Amino acid sequence: MSSIGLVRIASSKLIQSKIILQRCKLKQAVQITSARHASFFTYHPDKAEDFGDLGELKEMNLFKAINSAMDIALATDDSAILFGEDVGFGGVFRCSVGLQDKYGRQRVFNTPLCEQGIAGFAIGVACAGSTAIAEIQFADYIYPAFDQLVNEAAKYRYRSGNLFNCGKMTVRAPCGAVGHGAVYHSQSPEAYFAHTPGLKVVIPRGPIKAKGLLLSCIREPDPCIFLEPKVLYRSAVDKVPEGDYTLPLGKADILIEGNMSRFLKETTPCRLARPIF
């Protein structure tokens, strides 16, 4: 074989080695990026004792705490029903797992894929005096139910002069991004509802809060929208009271005392520009 042929072979092998090396580096970079996306925050557990003596504790993640809350709600209120897309087998995020087996198909059941219908049915159930726990499978799909929630549920008590209300209605929905949900499984629509008089919007920060706040919503005399951050379902773990307890709605917890204006001055790296008119 000529020297030119040997040079070509060596050059070809060198190019192949470089390609393989670049692929390995790219793969490693993708793995690192994926790991970063999957752990973009650190969950700091709550302590049950901070909320008083709430009885025996059990380690639960967020979806198990929500399951426990709905279990208690169904056990303590014979009029309570739980419904939504796929809740019968436990739901996409397993929040209702085991509840249909325990309470039967008459009280825990699937609905058609119709968010407007789910919300409308929940309003009717609550107006008739039963406790409605409705699930919208993803908060991104709550928009077809927007009219029912904003124009009907929120205004029912006001427009009837307090003769009727649908306060025994709670609508649950997983919200927020987890890094791979794309446009229709990553949205956070709470701001739309937070500006609506007549609705209470609740987002828990962890399992202890989720269980206590969900039970408060279910028993609240006003309609509530309970949004559950998907990223916390399995990553957030607390020692949660096993028994029945509620936490107050509309009351803030002071986690860190301090002067926020001083914090902003110290951490803001740029000046505010003077407006030009």
Side-chain angles (χ1 to χ4, degrees), residues 13-90:
K13 288 185 177 181
L14 179 62
I15 291 171
Q16 288 177 355
S17 298
K18 287 183 177 180
I19 291 172
I20 292 171
L21 180 62
Q22 289 297 326
R23 285 178 177 175
C24 290
K25 287 182 177 179
L26 179 61
K27 185 177 180 181
Q28 185 179 16
V30 169
Q31 289 174 343
I32 292 171
T33 304
S34 299
R36 285 175 180 167
H37 286 169
S39 57
F40 60 87
F41 81 105
T42 300
Y43 177 70
H44 298 279
D46 280 321
K47 296 179 180 179
E49 53 265 30
D50 292 341
F51 305 98
D53 184 8
L54 300 176
E56 294 295 320
L57 306 178
K58 182 179 180 180
E59 195 170 88
M60 300 183 195
N61 57 24
L62 192 85
F63 89 81
K64 290 180 180 178
I66 289 169
N67 179 277
S68 178
M70 294 192 294
D71 188 2
I72 289 171
L74 290 163
T76 57
D77 182 355
D78 290 337
S79 76
I81 58 174
L82 170 62
F83 52 91
E85 298 166 12
D86 300 321
V87 301
F89 79 89

Side-chain angles (χ1 to χ4, degrees), residues 127-203:
C127 287
S130 294
T131 298
I133 308 169
E135 180 183 300
I136 302 295
Q137 195 168 80
F138 287 90
D140 311 60
Y141 298 114
I142 205 169
Y143 303 117
F146 194 83
D147 179 64
Q148 288 291 321
L149 296 172
V150 171
N151 270 334
E152 301 297 335
K155 298 175 175 62
Y156 218 101
R157 188 191 303 275
Y158 174 78
R159 70 188 180 94
S160 71
N162 203 28
L163 292 175
F164 309 102
N165 69 82
C166 56
K168 300 185 75 173
M169 180 193 80
T170 298
V171 176
R172 296 176 40 250
C175 69
V178 291
H180 54 264
V183 66
Y184 289 125
H185 296 82
S186 302
Q187 298 179 50
S188 299
E190 63 274 2
Y192 294 115
F193 299 106
H195 291 80
T196 303
L199 294 177
K200 292 191 175 181
V201 181
V202 178
I203 306 176

